[in-house]
Amino acid sequence: MKIICIGRNYAEHAKELNNDVPTEPVIFMKPKNALLLPDKPLYYPEFTDDLQYECELVVKICKNGKYIQEKFARKYYNEVTVGLDFTARDLQQKQKNKGLPWEIAKAFDGSAALGEWRTITPEMNLDDLNFQLKLNDETVQSGRTKDMIFNINKIIEYVSGFFTLNIGDVIYTGTPAGVGSLNVYDTLEGYLENEKLLEVKIR
Ligand code: MG
């Protein structure tokens, strides 16, 4: 499986990190080892002093495809959840300053948490889903998919122009504003349409 991530897909978040709003999706990937096993804590990595959370809507690919057009993209995913794209922000900033790849800051073990999957129903309006992240019971991020710069179908068209999408691949669709730093003993809870799907403890 592939873990594909989209960066800077919400204008307010791009601004909070002093990035330009992109004209094409920003893509990076994480290896399978990045998946945080369900109900396991994330141990604060020793190589960073600024571990941050990014809560994102995540979709799961259910059909193999390449060069998928936007208008057919909806057939290629059937489940959705919230996930966390954990980031070593200090390392990422160093890499960005040098124009180097982000993997050490974004793709380390445990850096990809996933909530319980929900099958997409006809009643779900994918263009206007809301999701939230609570840090120690306080809401720190609140996203609406209508604020995405590139919607899910556009992301699938773009990504599949470079990489074949396979059944089981997951796509993190970017984080809204409100990212922030974590400490040992923090608890994160992710909600989709007010239903809690994800909990991660930092240890
Ligand atoms: Mg992210």
Side-chain angles (χ1 to χ4, degrees):
M1 67 154 327
K2 294 188 287 300
I3 303 168
I4 297 162
C5 305
I6 305 302
R8 304 174 191 168
N9 199 23
Y10 290 81
E12 291 301 316
H13 168 65
K15 278 187 219 158
E16 75 179 346
L17 295 184
N18 295 316
N19 292 312
D20 293 335
V21 174
T23 52
E24 285 177 330
V26 175
I27 304 177
F28 60 96
M29 288 201 225
K30 302 188 187 226
K32 200 178 163 195
N33 295 59
L35 278 184
L36 187 66
L37 297 173
D39 304 319
K40 295 288 180 201
L42 175 64
Y43 290 97
Y44 201 110
E46 74 283 358
F47 50 76
T48 178
D49 294 316
D50 192 13
L51 178 68
Q52 295 203 356
Y53 56 79
E54 294 188 0
C55 184
E56 314 199 359
L57 188 87
V58 186
V59 297
K60 192 193 275 184
I61 298 298
C62 62
K63 187 173 153 77
N64 298 334
K66 192 164 189 188
Y67 301 121
I68 300 160
Q69 290 177 50
E70 183 185 345
K71 62 183 174 187
F72 300 124
R74 176 61 195 88
K75 294 194 179 88
Y76 289 80
Y77 57 98
N78 65 347
E79 288 178 90
V80 68
T81 190
V82 282
L84 288 162
D85 165 21
F86 287 110
T87 303
R89 194 70 72 200
D90 47 354
L91 283 187
Q92 187 195 26
Q93 194 53 51
K94 269 192 207 162
Q95 298 300 93
K96 277 163 67 177
N97 292 346
K98 293 190 233 168
L100 293 172
W102 297 351
E103 276 84 350
I104 59 168
K106 282 278 195 185
F108 51 87
D109 289 359
S111 62
L114 286 171
E116 276 176 53
W117 292 101
R118 288 291 175 264
T119 301
I120 297 167
T121 59
E123 295 76 47
M124 259 187 214
N125 180 2
L126 291 168
D127 292 321
D128 197 11
L129 289 177
N130 69 75
F131 58 99
Q132 275 107 34
L133 181 69
K134 286 187 186 175
L135 170 61
N136 304 329
D137 272 334
E138 192 186 319
T139 301
V140 287
Q141 287 192 285
S142 189
R144 293 193 84 90
T145 53
K146 70 173 163 52
D147 296 325
M148 287 179 171
I149 299 167
F150 305 101
N151 69 24
I152 302 168
N153 294 342
K154 283 206 180 76
I155 289 169
I156 285 182
E157 176 175 89
Y158 186 80
V159 170
S160 71
F162 298 93
F163 310 105
T164 299
L165 292 179
N166 295 114
I167 294 169
D169 290 349
V170 300
I171 305 180
Y172 283 66
T173 59
T175 198
V179 300
S181 303
L182 288 164
N183 292 297
V184 173
Y185 301 119
D186 281 342
T187 299
L188 294 159
E189 295 169 294
Y191 294 77
L192 177 64
E193 298 283 283
N194 299 316
E195 185 189 8
K196 181 175 162 180
L197 299 182
L198 172 70
E199 182 174 317
V200 178
K201 292 180 190 303
I202 310 298
R203 289 294 182 258

